Structures are given as C-alpha cells and as structure tokens.
Amino acid sequence: MKRTKIIDALKSEDFDRDVVVKGWVRTCRGSKQVAFIALNDGSTVNNIQVVADIGKLGEELIKQATTGSCLSVEGKLVKSLGKGQSVEIQANSIEILGLADPNTFPLQKKGHSMEFLREISHLRPRTSTFGAVFRIRHNMAIAIHKFFHERGFFYFHTPVITASDCEGAGQMFQVTTMSLPDIKKDDRGAVVYNDDFFGKQAYLTVSGQLEGELAAMGLGSIYTFGPTFRAENSNTPRHLAEFWMIEPEVAFNDIEDNMSLAEDFIKYCVSWALENCRDDVQFLNDRIDNELISRLEGVLKDDFVRLPYTEGIKILEDAVAKGYKFEFPIFWGADLSSEHERYLVEDHFKRPVILIDYPKEIKAFYMKQNDDGKTVRAMDVLFPKIGEIIGGSERESDYDKLMTRINELDIPMKDMWWYLDTRKFGTCPHSGFGLGFERLLLFVTGMANIRDVIPFPRTPKNAEF
C-alpha cells in the first residue's frame, strides 16, 4: 500500500479506509490494554495519533515504540473521539523501521534550551520548533522566487568565488590551493600567488551585487539568491559567517522605485507566510513569541515610513534630550546601531521605516551622491525586533563621480575595471538592494537568534556538521 503523508491524512475526510503512515515517535503513552502513539513525519507540525491495541500487536512491539524511533503503521483512518485532533489511526500492524535507544536519544519529552539544541543540530529538524522553522524557510524561498518571477525578473547566478570585495570591509574568507606551511613570498615578504589555482588572491563572496549590476545592464531586472560569506568575528544573535542573500538589481529604477520594490517584496513574503504556513506560524506564536502573528499582520496593515536620515537623527536626539538612554551615542554622521533603528520603528513610528539619504562617509562607494555633496541615495528598511532587514541604494551611474569616489577610498583599480565599464558603455540609472534571508526568517518565525533559522550555523570557532 502506498504511504500517505501525515499532513494529508490529517486533512482527509475519507474515513474508515486503510492507510499506511510512516514517521518518528514523538510520544507513546497508555495503559496495559492500549497505547497512544503520537507520530510525525515532518510534513506538518501536527502529529497524528495512532491507537494501538497492545493485546493484538504485542507488548514487546509497543515497548519499542519509544520517542525517536521510526515506525511504519498500517491501519484504519477514523474520526477521532479525543480532543485536539479530528482523525486518528487504529493500527492493524506496526513495523519498527529504526530504533532509538531511550537511554541515549537526546530529544526526550521535555523542554530543551536553544543552546543545547545547537549542539545537536543534526537532530534539530526532528523537533516541532525547528520543523516549523525549516518548513517556513522553504516557503520563504518559494515566495521569493515567485515574487520576482511574476514581475519579470530573471534569476541570475553570481559567483561564489570572487577577486573583489564588494563592501570594502576586507572581512573575507580566502580561497587557496596553496600549502600554507610552504607559501612562497617575494623579497618584500608579500605572498606570491602565481602558482595558486586562480593565479591571484581569491575569496568567498560577501555579495553578488556588483556582478548583479552587470546583468541588469543587459537583462533589465535580475535577482540573485545564494550563499554569501563574511569573516566577521562576531558572536552575536544577529551574525553568521555563512548566510543567504537576495539581491535584486533593476535598470532604470531610481531610489523611489527601489523603496517601493522593497516594501512590496517584504509584504509579499510576510503575506505568503501567513497564508501558506499558518499552522507553523501559529505554533511558533504559541510557543516562541505570542506577539508574532500580530506583528506580521501589522506589517501588512500600514505603509512603511520614508524618513530622511537627518530627520531620524533629530528624532533620536530629541529622545535623548527627554531622558531616553541609548548605549551608543547619537549624532549626525553616526552609523545607527540596532537600538537606534528599533527605537524609530518600535517606539516612535510603531511601524516599519525606510531610512534614506545617509552621509556618504558611512556608506559604500557605489551609492549615488545627492546634490548636497554630503549624502547618498541609500536606503535601509528597518523592522521591529530586527532593526535593518534590507540595505540598498540607487547606484552611481556617472563614471566621473564613481571614479572620484573610488580614488578617495583607495580602491585598487585592478579589481574594478570591469565594473567601471558599465558606466562607460551605455550607462543608465539603476538601483538595487540586499535582503539577508536569515534576517527575514528571524522576523517571520519570531526566533531570537539567527543561528536558529539556518540548519547548520557557521560562526566563529564553529563549523560542525
């Protein structure tokens, strides 16, 4: 008989028919006569109850149905008389597919800390919480591709290995085939890369933006969605060394178009989660963050505030003058911290904010300069509980202005000639942004730590699994 997924069995109204379900035991309870086994196969956060007649199936068999063991159950799908479920299975036969030793299986019916579960990340998908998180992660990926496809964007694959540093931060993982103990150096002590695989220094990418801009100059509207890497030695709840980025780049879009695209995109993803992941979102609302659903619905209700950086600084300075305490100082020219961003969103406006027109000194070289000579057409989308969730800008399309900025920052021309060609050969206004996928998932799931929305987090001193 063909296996029925538990999500389909739970939705079925075709009762009194034989089915086969397979999955892992969450709990097993009962009396000497009957056992009630909660079975889950990962297709849904909800378990299906298997009612097993111990006299019929044998006490020794039921004793093996311990938490974590894998079973195949054949039985009759019937209406449930118990509370909390509409259907259950009256077992005719049970096959043990895989035993989990109850003395050593680490996931027992009790609360486990997130810290403990990170130590056993290979088993986290077996828990209700992480099953919900990873199903939502899948759905958010589907929503992202669907959003851009419906709007005529092309999915463009940018390289994971690169020789350029998009952000100029220098915190990049180097890629080499050279033997580290035998690295060749020249007379000045500099490493010689002639014999390395690429013949030059190469890194894992921090962003696909620069290559994405090249594609937008030919395809019009593109987006990237792939892994990115940053060797930032930060052990915080908001940082990963390996994370995923979504980066649209659009020819002929100005900063206003860019803000509208970002707002539409975020709202689409949040709406998708509420409509297509309702059971998982409800579970996380009940278990992790009881304001999750109201916060998600709040994002859909109102337009995002569009706020110039200078006005945002004034609001924050006024808050300080009235006695509000920030850990970090606030002044014009400061790169806002998460506490500043969250104050604007959560305390002042009480809705998402798009902060624009930042000082050029704190933003990347490629952002279009405003006429005041002090600010650039940057934009950061700020969200409750998260702070910055999207960063983007209108890109500088003027060759001379871009060259001036590159020279000011001493960016090596040998790494930028191909990027500058797009400003020499048929340049046009264009814009784009980057959304950290895990930041989006933090918001949609209500999880508190970014390490808990990616299956196997990569952080300083941690590359297990």
Side-chain angles (χ1 to χ4, degrees), residues 104 106-107 112-125 127 130 134 449 451-452 454-459 461-465:
T104 58
L107 296 174
H112 296 292
S113 71
M114 294 297 169
E115 291 79 7
F116 170 73
L117 291 173
R118 283 177 216 131
E119 295 174 3
I120 54 168
S121 289
H122 58 305
L123 296 175
R124 289 199 304 181
T127 68
F130 285 95
F134 297 143
N449 194 310
R451 303 176 193 201
D452 298 328
I454 191 169
F456 305 106
R458 297 295 182 246
T459 54
K461 304 295 188 293
N462 178 34
E464 292 294 328
F465 313 106

Side-chain angles (χ1 to χ4, degrees), residues 94-145:
I94 294 176
E95 179 186 359
I96 308 293
L97 299 179
L99 285 172
D101 183 349
N103 297 313
T104 58
F105 184 62
L107 296 174
Q108 295 299 321
K109 190 185 177 182
K110 63 176 182 178
H112 296 292
S113 71
M114 294 297 169
E115 291 79 7
F116 170 73
L117 291 173
R118 283 177 216 131
E119 295 174 3
I120 54 168
S121 289
H122 58 305
L123 296 175
R124 289 199 304 181
R126 303 269 290 273
T127 68
S128 296
T129 296
F130 285 95
V133 168
F134 297 143
R135 281 187 295 271
I136 292 172
R137 186 180 174 104
H138 157 79
N139 268 279
M140 286 297 92
I142 295 297
I144 287 162
H145 286 299

Side-chain angles (χ1 to χ4, degrees), residues 299-318:
V299 165
L300 303 178
K301 183 177 64 174
D302 296 318
D303 292 338
F304 295 2
V305 175
R306 299 186 179 188
L307 178 73
Y309 170 91
T310 299
E311 291 183 24
I313 291 294
K314 187 176 186 309
I315 290 169
L316 294 166
E317 288 176 335
D318 288 345

Side-chain angles (χ1 to χ4, degrees), residues 358-382:
Y358 280 81
K360 69 178 183 179
E361 284 75 15
I362 62 173
K363 287 298 181 180
F365 74 94
Y366 50 74
M367 296 187 177
K368 186 169 184 63
Q369 297 180 42
N370 287 316
D371 293 338
D372 60 14
K374 299 190 303 180
T375 61
V376 291
R377 293 180 193 174
M379 58 166 240
D380 286 345
V381 180
L382 312 180

Side-chain angles (χ1 to χ4, degrees), residues 66-336:
T66 56
T67 298
S69 292
C70 189
L71 311 183
S72 175
V73 178
E74 183 178 347
K76 192 174 293 293
L77 186 71
V78 299
K79 282 187 177 182
S80 177
L81 301 177
K83 293 182 179 180
Q85 69 266 337
S86 58
V87 302
E88 62 187 24
I89 295 175
Q90 294 177 346
N92 293 324
S93 65
I94 294 176
E95 179 186 359
I96 308 293
L97 299 179
L99 285 172
D101 183 349
N103 297 313
T104 58
F105 184 62
L107 296 174
Q108 295 299 321
K109 190 185 177 182
K110 63 176 182 178
H112 296 292
S113 71
M114 294 297 169
E115 291 79 7
F116 170 73
L117 291 173
R118 283 177 216 131
E119 295 174 3
I120 54 168
S121 289
H122 58 305
L123 296 175
R124 289 199 304 181
R126 303 269 290 273
T127 68
S128 296
T129 296
F130 285 95
V133 168
F134 297 143
R135 281 187 295 271
I136 292 172
R137 186 180 174 104
H138 157 79
N139 268 279
M140 286 297 92
I142 295 297
I144 287 162
H145 286 299
K146 189 173 174 61
F147 173 86
F148 287 114
H149 180 70
E150 289 174 352
R151 286 155 182 79
F153 282 66
F154 299 105
Y155 181 29
F156 193 75
H157 298 126
T158 54
V160 171
I161 299 174
T162 181
S164 63
D165 180 357
C166 175
E167 298 296 334
Q171 297 168 319
M172 303 178 75
F173 289 102
Q174 191 167 341
V175 176
T176 181
T177 56
M178 294 190 296
S179 171
L180 296 183
D182 302 318
I183 286 179
K184 290 197 306 184
K185 296 185 179 181
D186 61 20
D187 295 340
R188 295 170 298 171
V191 175
V192 177
Y193 287 94
N194 295 345
D195 296 332
D196 204 358
F197 188 89
F198 295 105
K200 63 193 300 187
Q201 279 184 286
Y203 311 91
L204 295 178
T205 186
V206 299
S207 169
Q209 177 201 315
L210 300 187
E211 294 88 351
E213 285 188 54
L214 310 185
M217 293 300 99
L219 296 172
S221 302
I222 67 95
Y223 71 104
T224 75
F225 186 3
T228 52
F229 308 86
R230 187 158 297 179
E232 185 175 355
N233 192 19
S234 296
N235 263 310
T236 79
R238 300 173 71 240
H239 288 89
L240 290 166
E242 176 185 292
F243 52 99
W244 287 66
M245 288 283 288
I246 302 97
E247 297 174 291
E249 289 291 332
V250 191
F252 316 116
N253 268 16
D254 62 15
I255 188 64
E256 292 293 331
D257 300 320
N258 208 32
M259 288 190 285
S260 296
L261 178 66
E263 181 169 349
D264 291 346
F265 175 47
I266 287 282
K267 286 184 173 181
Y268 184 96
C269 290
V270 170
S271 178
W272 183 275
L274 287 170
E275 291 174 11
N276 295 277
C277 312
R278 192 70 191 197
D279 285 350
D280 288 321
V281 171
Q282 186 67 59
F283 174 86
L284 294 170
N285 184 89
D286 296 343
R287 299 290 184 91
I288 301 297
D289 181 351
N290 60 16
E291 295 180 348
L292 175 59
I293 290 177
S294 63
R295 196 162 54 248
L296 294 176
E297 291 173 341
V299 165
L300 303 178
K301 183 177 64 174
D302 296 318
D303 292 338
F304 295 2
V305 175
R306 299 186 179 188
L307 178 73
Y309 170 91
T310 299
E311 291 183 24
I313 291 294
K314 187 176 186 309
I315 290 169
L316 294 166
E317 288 176 335
D318 288 345
V320 172
K322 293 175 183 176
Y324 197 93
K325 302 291 186 183
F326 291 113
E327 181 181 354
F328 297 101
I330 188 69
F331 54 91
W332 198 96
D335 196 359
L336 300 187

Side-chain angles (χ1 to χ4, degrees), residues 21-53:
V21 295
K22 301 179 182 184
W24 295 270
V25 177
R26 289 290 169 83
T27 61
C28 182
R29 58 183 178 82
S31 62
K32 291 183 178 180
Q33 288 79 35
V34 63
F36 300 96
I37 302 169
L39 205 65
N40 190 286
D41 63 1
S43 61
T44 171
V45 73
N46 299 307
N47 306 321
I48 196 165
Q49 179 168 276
V50 175
V51 182
D53 184 326

